[in-house]
Amino acid sequence: MSLETLIVAIVDGIALGATLFMISSGLSLIFGLMGIVNFAHGSLFMLGAYIGYEVFSSTNSLALGLAAATASMSLLGGTIESGLLKRKSGDVLGQALITIGVMLLLDRTAWIIWGETTYKWVPDSLKGVIELGGIIFYEYRLFLIAFGAVIAAAVFSFLKYTNYGTIIRAAIEDREMVEALGIDVRKTFTITFILGSGLAGLGGAVLVPWLGVYPTLGITYLLYAFAIVVIGGIGSFTGTLAASLLVGVTQQLAAYYVPWLAEATIFILMLAVLLLRPEGLVRG
Amino acid sequence: MRPLLELKDLHVHLGTLYIIQGVNFRVHEGENLAILGRNGAGKTTLLKSIMGILKPSKGSIKFRGRDITGARLHERARMGIGYVPDTRRIFGSLTVRENLLLGAAGIDKKIIPERLEFVLKIFPDLAKLMNHKARNLSGGQQQMLNIARIIVNPHRRLLLVDEPTEGLSPLYVKRISEAFEVLTREGVTIILVETKPLLVKRITKRYVILSHGKIVKEGDSGELFENPEIMRRYIGVEMRGG
Amino acid sequence: MLTLPAIIHYTGFTRLTGILTSIFILSLYSLSFSILLGYLGLLNFGHALFFGLGGYTTAYALNYMGAPYMAAILASLLVGAISGIALSFIVRRVFHGVPFAFISLAVMLIVYFLYRKRELRLLSGGEQGINLVVPGSMKAVIFSETLVILGAFVVASSVVRAVIASRPLRRGSTAFAPLALAGVVAVLLANSWYIEELSLESPALRITPNYYFLSLNLLVLSYLFTKRLVESPVGRVWLAIRENEQRASALGFDVFKYKALAMAMAGSMAALAGSLYAPFTFNINPDKAFSPLVSVYAIIYSIIGGVWTPLGPILGTGFVVFLERLLADYTGKWSTIIVGAVFIAVMYAMPRGLAGLLEKAPRLRRGR
């Protein structure tokens, strides 16, 4: 129980939080904008990880794998939205149920293709450790933190400085009023899905060198992402970022100090927020 | 002359409640109309159905000669109908500038600075608040933004305004009524739901009184002052100080 | 029902009995889920919580306390009802829509992840779970005979009641009830002698037929109870709450009480299903009890069948379980994928589910 353990746990937690942000920010936008609880989101995270792994291991390039995972999952997400969900627009319960079917299809397909094995691949350039003040850190986890910061900044800029971003933020608050101004909000749905799914695929792929990819990865991280969206407040960028880090750090601290509570803590946190502050921890 | 807006036998249900029970009227260009009535008479429901937020169960709505009964909300906005809701509904997490730019969506980018100048001339208070989050504005400032956001777009020909001065101090009431006068001069037609007789007289030419979802009386707005009994009887408002 | 002999021929009798038994048990579970969704608009993502609690309560009662099976079932019913009411109090302030769905999910996940931990294996049996002692009563020959008689009595009396009830009120919905019951009777009679023959061979083979009858009878009872309840004033208040909660409240109904009642009922019915399922499969573990996938299956069974009538989830469960088991013979691992595809197709093509198909028959007849 040294200070060293504590610092390592916190750093690992932030690294995990960076990945969690990639899966939950898309989920949060989709939920906030369209009202859809997207159960297929975790499957996209997992498929991104598998595709990332395949490209990593065959090209030996981290960048190519991440790009392939992002691109393929953007495409798949866009297809799910325009091919399936668009036909049920207005029926948010029906849409959520359809994503449950999609989740079942994708998870099962992945299981048939890749089986029960855990696949892992680490880039040579980030294999090592760094010693800072007598504490040893894994290079890859530090890379994750930096990479996560870049992605968060990119998402923030999209939402803050583009037309689509402004429309999405406004529509999360009051969709009807945005339409009353003459803007067809539905046109932003597909782009939100493409963006969110790409981020999920990227998050899954970038996690492979640390934790690997295995068949229950999708559902596990989907549940974490649900907790984060609830804790951070639906549709809130700042909230999702803060909650991702909070959940990441809490999970890692619990895993070090009270392992039997590791996952349960997250959902206790989620329950507490739902009961005490249903609008989430962060406003707007 | 072709009317700007024409409602024919409009019926609207809200769930199981029968709110608008057959309303007919025409509004000609420049002929601002006041809709009066007690709470629950169906005024807001009527505005929302004209805007396309609520779907009528029967009847038709024509705007500039085109049947828009089946048109979607954003399509009606594009055709030139603007809606100023009573509960403000500004985008609180966005800045004042972002709110205004959303209102200007779809117009030529080159004329945006000119349009911003136009609304800031009408509502100078907003000029120094451009980069503030809208939720931090006072009630009166939010109401000005609520109106500014609609009229920043030069294509709006018809404004549906729902109790714009509710709960505001006299200073803001004055500002807002002046704004409507400017807009009228610019050729925008206004349908106003209001309870303040002074505002009704200053801004509108004609009035209709709605009761239990039906129009029970209509006439020239000036009449309301000559005959205060109308206001007392149909709306329960005592005329004080004109 | 007519295809039954053919199915028996191809699949083998013991296996068919096993499949049908799991259909009856899982139907109880999906029926409990659809009461909440169909009649109150409450989508319970954490429904497996009740199912799992029933299973574990039964395991504790049989293994640790040596209780008779009937006592274990009663204890599960009680635990299910209490947890339904407890969950109602937890969600009291936000008893609707997404908040309810997420709160029930969070509660289930807390239990799930705790039960999976080695540190709590005394309680949960760890990831492997607890292997249940087979209840002595389920090995007895006499059990199935008693239940045949009991079952026949229940069915006969409900046919009489359904016939009486079908005369005045809504023709469409009740006219079908005697038909369905006639079918059940046919299955009962067709199978009973087969089963008796088989169960005489060895005690081990008797367990499945005994479960078959026990779960069939409990399903029929629960179905009739539910049907009666949803057509009673209570059911009408439930529907009024689903349509417009504020209005129901303004009319003087204590909305919370009605919702808590539904939760207690759904909770005990799901726990009953768990209480049957755990000893039937000889084992209960966290993944069978509290996992999100168990909740997901409640949704799939119910939506494919249709949640607007108590018959829907039963049809849906039967269809999906049969499809999955039979497809597994030919397509192996792909069976779940086909189920997922069917689920999505039903969402688009038949919004009222399989039960919606039956609804058309009486309408056509009326149209003469």
Side-chain angles (χ1 to χ4, degrees):
Chain A
M1 301 286 144
S2 63
L3 183 67
E4 196 181 317
T5 327
L6 183 69
I7 292 173
V8 169
I10 290 174
V11 169
D12 284 359
I14 296 173
L16 183 64
T19 320
L20 289 172
F21 173 76
M22 291 178 219
I23 181 173
S24 27
S25 52
L27 191 72
S28 179
L29 284 180
I30 290 168
F31 190 14
L33 180 66
M34 308 162 67
I36 302 176
V37 181
N38 180 13
F39 280 85
H41 209 70
S43 312
L44 297 174
F45 180 81
M46 181 181 65
L47 281 180
Y50 277 123
I51 286 168
Y53 169 78
E54 292 295 338
V55 178
F56 292 148
S57 53
S58 58
T59 64
N60 214 26
S61 156
L62 180 69
L64 276 180
L66 296 182
T70 313
S72 55
M73 288 309 109
S74 296
L75 195 68
L76 183 56
T79 313
I80 291 170
E81 201 278 327
S82 53
L84 288 173
L85 300 179
K86 200 158 252 173
R87 282 166 214 212
K88 280 264 171 194
S89 70
D91 173 13
V92 288
L93 176 63
Q95 288 172 322
L97 295 174
I98 284 165
T99 65
I100 289 181
V102 174
M103 169 183 81
L104 212 62
L105 284 182
L106 296 181
D107 284 7
R108 202 66 188 179
T109 310
W111 179 73
I112 290 172
I113 299 175
W114 286 283
E116 298 277 349
T117 323
T118 300
Y119 294 99
K120 208 168 154 183
W121 173 90
V122 191
D124 294 329
S125 52
L126 294 166
K127 258 188 178 137
V129 293
I130 293 176
E131 203 189 314
L132 281 175
I135 306 173
I136 290 168
F137 298 102
Y138 288 92
E139 275 178 8
Y140 191 79
R141 297 182 202 175
L142 297 178
F143 162 77
L144 259 184
I145 295 175
F147 188 70
V150 171
I151 296 299
V155 174
F156 177 79
S157 309
F158 168 78
L159 289 174
K160 179 74 191 168
Y161 300 113
T162 67
N163 270 342
Y164 271 121
T166 311
I167 293 171
I168 290 170
R169 277 185 296 139
I172 284 171
E173 255 189 75
D174 189 339
R175 180 179 155 187
E176 204 170 79
M177 210 50 228
V178 177
E179 292 186 337
L181 295 176
I183 298 163
D184 187 359
V185 174
R186 280 195 213 168
K187 283 194 178 140
T188 62
F189 287 1
T190 312
I191 198 155
T192 305
F193 241 87
I194 288 174
L195 182 82
S197 307
L199 276 172
L202 177 65
V206 84
L207 195 63
V208 169
W210 179 14
L211 295 173
V213 50
Y214 45 91
T216 55
L217 184 80
I219 184 79
T220 310
Y221 279 78
L222 175 72
L223 297 173
Y224 286 177
F226 277 165
I228 289 166
V229 170
V230 165
I231 293 168
I234 290 154
S236 154
F237 171 84
T238 336
T240 307
L241 184 59
S244 299
L245 294 174
L246 179 67
V247 165
V249 172
T250 310
Q251 205 266 6
Q252 287 296 310
L253 285 177
Y256 276 97
Y257 295 109
V258 264
W260 61 279
L261 269 175
E263 295 94 352
T265 334
I266 295 170
F267 300 103
I268 292 169
L269 211 59
M270 175 184 177
L271 185 63
V273 169
L274 277 167
L275 295 177
L276 303 174
R277 225 185 125 84
E279 71 279 14
L281 288 183
V282 180
R283 198 177 58 159
Chain B
M1 199 175 84
R2 192 178 71 184
L4 182 69
L5 181 78
E6 185 175 11
L7 303 190
K8 263 195 193 147
D9 192 28
L10 199 74
H11 297 256
V12 186
H13 286 82
L14 269 184
T16 51
L17 300 174
Y18 187 19
I19 309 283
I20 300 294
Q21 314 184 350
V23 163
N24 294 283
F25 66 68
R26 291 171 167 206
V27 177
H28 289 280
E29 208 136 337
E31 199 185 59
N32 291 355
L33 176 79
I35 300 178
L36 308 170
R38 291 172 197 269
N39 279 343
K43 295 169 291 177
T44 299
T45 305
L46 187 58
L47 285 196
K48 284 186 172 177
S49 336
I50 300 172
M51 189 66 223
I53 294 171
L54 297 173
K55 297 267 165 284
S57 32
K58 200 184 149 203
S60 73
I61 306 171
K62 266 189 186 171
F63 180 63
R64 294 164 116 177
R66 262 180 77 183
D67 189 329
I68 59 163
T69 318
R72 282 170 56 200
L73 176 53
H74 72 96
E75 291 165 345
R76 298 189 200 203
R78 282 282 157 113
M79 288 174 201
I81 307 181
Y83 174 54
V84 182
D86 55 343
T87 47
R88 288 175 202 151
R89 297 173 68 171
I90 44 127
F91 308 113
S93 69
L94 273 59
T95 63
V96 170
R97 184 187 302 279
E98 286 170 338
N99 268 276
L100 291 175
L101 289 178
L102 278 178
I107 69 173
D108 188 356
K109 285 221 162 46
K110 272 174 278 174
I111 63 163
I112 286 180
E114 180 191 310
R115 293 304 299 179
L116 286 179
E117 206 175 301
F118 167 77
V119 292
L120 292 180
K121 212 159 82 192
I122 296 180
F123 298 119
D125 311 45
L126 292 178
K128 57 182 188 299
L129 299 166
M130 288 298 270
N131 294 318
H132 285 59
K133 281 203 174 174
R135 80 158 72 91
N136 299 331
L137 268 52
S138 73
Q141 291 165 339
Q142 289 190 354
Q143 184 60 292
M144 292 194 286
L145 176 59
N146 187 19
I147 297 166
R149 174 175 72 170
I150 304 295
I151 61 175
V152 71
N153 190 321
H155 304 314
R156 314 261 187 243
R157 303 319 304 158
L158 173 69
L159 236 54
L160 310 169
V161 188
D162 201 351
E163 308 220 20
T165 61
E166 180 78 3
L168 295 187
S169 69
L171 177 72
Y172 285 123
V173 176
K174 188 163 165 280
R175 280 275 161 74
I176 284 166
S177 80
E178 280 165 6
F180 289 141
E181 284 167 332
V182 172
L183 287 171
T184 308
R185 280 200 298 277
E186 301 257 323
V188 178
T189 308
I190 296 169
I191 296 183
L192 181 72
V193 167
E194 221 350 308
T195 48
K196 289 192 178 68
L198 181 67
L199 211 62
V200 170
K201 186 181 172 235
R202 271 184 75 170
I203 296 164
T204 64
K205 280 200 178 128
R206 286 174 52 235
Y207 73 87
V208 295
I209 293 177
L210 212 58
S211 175
H212 300 289
K214 288 190 179 99
I215 291 177
V216 289
K217 183 154 182 58
E218 53 191 305
D220 290 333
S221 297
E223 202 180 285
L224 294 168
F225 275 82
E226 289 151 23
N227 191 355
E229 184 58 25
I230 298 174
M231 290 294 269
R232 192 179 306 133
R233 212 177 120 202
Y234 290 104
I235 310 163
V237 173
E238 284 294 334
M239 302 278 280
R240 268 167 300 149
Chain C
M1 294 296 169
L2 291 174
T3 56
L4 200 67
I7 296 170
I8 291 173
H9 182 77
Y10 285 111
T11 55
F13 192 77
T14 314
R15 179 154 181 246
L16 181 69
T17 319
I19 293 176
L20 285 172
T21 308
S22 45
I23 288 174
F24 299 150
I25 296 174
L26 294 172
S27 292
L28 271 171
Y29 172 56
S30 57
L31 176 60
S32 70
F33 174 85
S34 342
I35 294 170
L36 294 180
L37 182 57
Y39 288 87
L40 283 142
L42 290 172
L43 175 59
N44 189 355
F45 283 157
H47 203 67
L49 177 74
F50 301 135
F51 184 77
L53 283 175
Y56 268 106
T57 303
T58 306
Y60 299 150
L62 293 180
N63 282 24
Y64 300 157
M65 286 178 262
Y69 189 37
M70 288 305 134
I73 289 180
L74 285 175
S76 302
L77 283 170
L78 198 65
V79 167
I82 290 171
S83 54
I85 292 169
L87 192 57
S88 302
F89 274 99
I90 292 176
V91 298
R92 182 162 199 163
R93 272 180 26 191
V94 279
F95 213 157
H96 51 78
V98 173
F100 167 76
F102 272 163
I103 288 172
S104 57
L105 177 70
V107 171
M108 181 193 78
L109 289 175
I110 292 168
V111 177
Y112 172 60
F113 283 113
L114 288 177
Y115 263 61
R116 276 170 62 95
K117 290 295 173 184
R118 268 178 57 79
E119 287 82 351
L120 295 176
R121 63 186 175 280
L122 265 181
L123 198 63
S124 64
E127 289 193 33
Q128 274 66 49
I130 299 174
N131 290 330
L132 277 89
V133 176
V134 176
S137 53
M138 301 313 281
K139 292 180 190 158
V141 181
I142 189 98
F143 202 74
S144 65
E145 289 170 345
T146 319
L147 282 163
V148 173
I149 296 162
L150 192 69
F153 176 74
V154 168
V155 169
S157 67
S158 53
V159 168
V160 171
R161 228 204 52 231
V163 168
I164 293 167
S166 69
R167 251 184 301 151
L169 288 159
R170 288 176 274 153
R171 274 168 297 166
S173 64
T174 44
F176 183 72
L179 275 178
L181 290 171
V184 172
V185 174
V187 176
L188 267 173
L189 295 180
N191 294 346
S192 57
W193 71 272
Y194 261 128
I195 289 160
E196 283 309 308
E197 292 285 307
L198 265 167
S199 49
L200 285 172
E201 284 175 22
S202 79
L205 275 180
R206 261 178 243 142
I207 296 169
T208 310
N210 278 341
Y211 265 106
Y212 175 91
F213 281 105
L214 180 62
S215 46
L216 174 61
N217 283 291
L218 288 173
L219 176 63
V220 170
L221 275 176
S222 303
Y223 168 75
L224 292 173
F225 176 73
T226 309
K227 193 168 165 55
R228 201 184 169 123
L229 193 67
V230 297
E231 282 165 6
S232 74
V234 174
R236 281 194 286 276
V237 176
W238 282 353
L239 283 174
I241 292 172
R242 191 192 71 182
E243 289 310 315
N244 189 338
E245 189 165 333
Q246 281 166 342
R247 201 150 155 260
S249 179
L251 287 172
F253 295 112
D254 186 339
V255 171
F256 174 75
K257 260 191 202 160
Y258 278 93
K259 285 185 173 177
L261 173 72
M263 289 284 283
M265 210 185 116
S268 57
M269 204 183 285
L272 173 64
S275 181
L276 290 168
Y277 199 68
F280 174 64
T281 56
F282 305 112
N283 169 280
I284 181 85
N285 64 43
D287 281 301
K288 259 161 86 175
F290 304 115
S291 88
L293 199 63
V294 180
S295 285
V296 163
Y297 265 94
I299 295 172
I300 289 181
Y301 296 148
S302 307
I303 297 293
I304 288 184
V307 293
W308 53 277
T309 160
L311 195 64
I314 301 174
L315 291 174
T317 312
F319 177 74
V320 174
V321 173
F322 252 118
L323 188 70
E324 223 173 356
R325 296 284 175 90
L326 295 180
L327 281 174
D329 293 352
Y330 302 102
T331 63
K333 292 170 172 176
W334 292 88
S335 62
T336 311
I337 291 183
I338 295 169
V339 168
V342 167
F343 173 74
I344 295 174
V346 167
M347 287 295 305
Y348 289 102
M350 310 194 305
R352 284 168 80 75
L354 292 175
L357 296 176
L358 298 170
E359 182 195 30
K360 278 179 193 141
R363 254 193 209 155
L364 285 176
R365 253 179 274 142
R366 236 182 296 157
R368 267 182 308 185

